[in-house]
Amino acid sequence: MTLLPFLSVLLWLLLPVPARTAAAARPPHPTITPAPNLKDRVVPRDFDPGSYINSVLDGFGSGVSSYIASGVPQFFQDLPSGEAVESSLGIGDAELAAQPTRVLNLPAYANWTEQGWNVRVHGNVYKQPNISQERLDDLANVFLIGTDIDELSDSEQRQARNMTASIFVVQQGNVNVTIYFESNVDALTDASGGVINAEGGAQELNLPYPTTDQGDFDTFVTLENTTGTGGGYLIPGNSTSSIQALYMYANGTDTGNATAYLVPPTGFTIISDVDDILRVTKIYDPKEGLLNSFARPFTPWMNMPEIYANWSTTIPNFHFHYLTTTPEQVTRNYMEFIYNTYPLGSFDTRPLNFSDVSATLSIRRALLDEIFQTFPQRKFVLVADTSNSDIMRDYPQLVRDYPGQVQCIFLRNTTATDSSDLFPYDTSGFSGIDQKQYMFFVTPDDLRNVDIVGGNCHNPAVIQNTTFGYQGRGFGNEASSAPSLIRRSSWRGNWSKSLLGSLLALSLSI
């Protein structure tokens, strides 16, 4: 696949449009709603959101709608990999072979079994081609819609080049991976949810399978309880409530360093989304989303780091797990931001071997199922935002599929504070779920007075008024104007660009 279909649609949207008469003027920009009053934004009963969405998709043409209708953003489906990178850069096998092998080794979680601690080791093996700055600038400009890299500040140019270079890598298939574990994680003391240093377990393990054709590896390995310095050892999971940390290194590279978190069978685990919940992304606004992802420094969303830090220090042995389905190629930038800003913890991203549309549609749910089934006695806190349709579907379903395991669901209502998020979201999955188990919130401060341990996840000061069905900006108080918007044959202009961003964000798993 190539970026051309996606870019052609965006360029079409950015073209100037002839002046219209007043009758055909662009619809007024929706106002910002100051509080998460979902009742005021419910879709009228005679409005069919399915037909509306399909009509919009049809207007963009089959080249785009086939992805958006399936909930897969066109942009993230078209990142090059493997041979496509070699071909686009014009590099040969000999030139690539001269480059060192690199490893993306993702921070891991481990569960306690009858055989001992079982660590999920996962990541990707790749090579980084040598790309000139001039060529990187050309490649970066493909992503910087409406902006040229020369128009950015020096720091933004560096960010854009680094992000672009991380995308244009060549994955290495059929590679045998060896992981070293070491028990000297001194820097982690009291850094995250009461994590303690493991005092044993140093060893070398060969993964049982080589990497996939896309360079991925993902498997559980069982640790031996080797003796550490001073006679220390790994504390059995059935004898401790503490999370223990081990360093883990990939053999043959200085890039494959990570941490494994040995998580006891009981306790609390938070599974947190990243984009538009931990950092400012605006993925539903194409130009802003791409600039925030490729050029601008990653910026925390409001005072969310303060909220997470408070949870880390007040909830005993709170296991932090970050789950984003952004492509593996850009994961390193995400991890660097997370671990400089939020409590340390394990990490999941979308592996490249989930490359077809049907698999991509279920990747978030597959990763959620894996961690829920790995820790059947732990209770989970789920944090994300309303702009992802897969989250709006999967999170309430997890309450039903894993009775007693979902402690809290916290969803940022992006439409309440961001006028560029126009796409509807569906709350029908929450019908029948106890209100104290979930909360739609607008600012991080709304999370201050929730009682996670006690299971009181709704701050009574945050009014919900939740109705169950399609919600969203432009479909509540502005409902009377919705039909006229639907019937418009021309979709160019600022409103349509924001809508396209929302469509691209449909099921975006970042």
Side-chain angles (χ1 to χ4, degrees), residues 90-120:
I91 58 175
D93 292 341
E95 182 181 350
L96 188 64
Q99 301 301 319
T101 299
R102 300 172 184 245
V103 176
L104 172 67
N105 190 14
L106 297 171
Y109 56 74
N111 66 327
W112 177 253
T113 69
E114 293 181 355
Q115 291 73 40
W117 285 107
N118 208 28
V119 183
R120 181 185 169 215

Side-chain angles (χ1 to χ4, degrees), residues 457-477:
C457 308
H458 171 218
N459 178 354
V462 181
I463 298 174
Q464 298 293 282
N465 293 331
T466 311
T467 55
F468 303 109
Y470 277 93
Q471 322 286 329
R473 185 173 300 284
F475 300 94
N477 293 333

Side-chain angles (χ1 to χ4, degrees), residues 74-156:
Q74 174 91 355
F75 170 76
F76 287 116
Q77 278 294 305
D78 284 329
L79 293 186
S81 62
E83 293 181 358
V85 172
E86 292 187 72
S87 176
S88 63
L89 295 178
I91 58 175
D93 292 341
E95 182 181 350
L96 188 64
Q99 301 301 319
T101 299
R102 300 172 184 245
V103 176
L104 172 67
N105 190 14
L106 297 171
Y109 56 74
N111 66 327
W112 177 253
T113 69
E114 293 181 355
Q115 291 73 40
W117 285 107
N118 208 28
V119 183
R120 181 185 169 215
V121 182
H122 58 310
N124 186 269
V125 178
Y126 64 96
K127 290 199 173 190
Q128 178 80 63
N130 187 17
I131 310 175
S132 68
Q133 178 174 312
E134 181 180 6
R135 182 62 172 138
L136 273 178
D137 288 352
D138 291 340
L139 295 170
N141 281 333
V142 174
F143 300 109
L144 298 172
I145 296 172
T147 303
D148 190 277
I149 194 170
D150 292 337
E151 300 172 15
L152 304 177
S153 68
D154 289 344
S155 61
E156 290 174 338

Side-chain angles (χ1 to χ4, degrees), residues 181-348:
F181 293 89
E182 292 187 7
S183 53
N184 62 342
V185 195
D186 294 333
L188 291 181
T189 302
D190 297 326
S192 175
V195 171
I196 63 174
N197 297 322
E199 297 184 4
Q203 58 203 270
E204 172 185 327
L205 290 176
N206 299 317
L207 301 191
Y209 311 105
T211 59
T212 67
D213 290 343
Q214 295 82 22
D216 285 336
F217 57 91
D218 190 343
T219 186
F220 280 88
V221 296
T222 302
L223 296 176
E224 296 179 10
N225 198 353
T226 60
T227 303
T229 304
Y233 57 90
L234 299 178
I235 307 173
N238 55 3
S239 301
T240 182
S241 60
S242 296
I243 301 168
Q244 302 168 80
L246 278 170
Y247 272 148
M248 51 192 298
Y249 305 88
N251 182 32
T253 175
D254 59 1
T255 58
N257 303 337
T259 304
Y261 297 88
L262 282 53
V263 182
T266 60
F268 294 95
T269 290
I270 178 173
I271 301 178
S272 179
D273 197 12
V274 178
D275 282 304
D276 291 311
I277 192 71
L278 299 187
R279 81 177 189 97
V280 175
T281 308
K282 296 178 178 287
I283 197 64
Y284 34 77
D285 184 329
K287 182 176 180 179
E288 285 295 298
L290 290 176
L291 283 174
N292 289 330
S293 294
F294 283 91
R296 295 171 181 157
F298 284 15
T299 303
W301 175 56
M302 299 184 71
N303 60 322
M304 202 64 164
E306 180 185 343
I307 301 297
Y308 273 49
N310 180 59
W311 287 346
S312 176
T313 57
T314 59
I315 300 175
N317 303 306
F318 202 16
H319 168 217
F320 286 82
H321 182 71
Y322 302 96
L323 192 161
T324 173
T325 52
T326 191
E328 272 181 341
Q329 296 100 313
V330 297
T331 296
R332 195 177 298 280
N333 300 70
Y334 274 71
M335 292 195 299
E336 181 178 353
F337 165 75
I338 288 294
Y339 299 134
N340 286 331
T341 316
Y342 290 95
L344 304 177
S346 48
F347 203 95
D348 255 327

Side-chain angles (χ1 to χ4, degrees), residues 434-491:
D434 192 336
Q435 174 65 82
K436 73 176 185 179
Q437 202 167 359
Y438 68 92
M439 182 175 71
F440 294 90
F441 68 98
V442 175
T443 69
D445 285 338
D446 293 340
L447 299 169
R448 286 190 182 280
N449 295 321
V450 299
D451 177 13
I452 289 176
V453 175
N456 298 309
C457 308
H458 171 218
N459 178 354
V462 181
I463 298 174
Q464 298 293 282
N465 293 331
T466 311
T467 55
F468 303 109
Y470 277 93
Q471 322 286 329
R473 185 173 300 284
F475 300 94
N477 293 333
E478 301 84 12
S480 61
S481 65
S484 65
L485 296 180
I486 298 167
R487 287 194 295 267
R488 291 192 187 280
S489 60
S490 175
W491 290 89

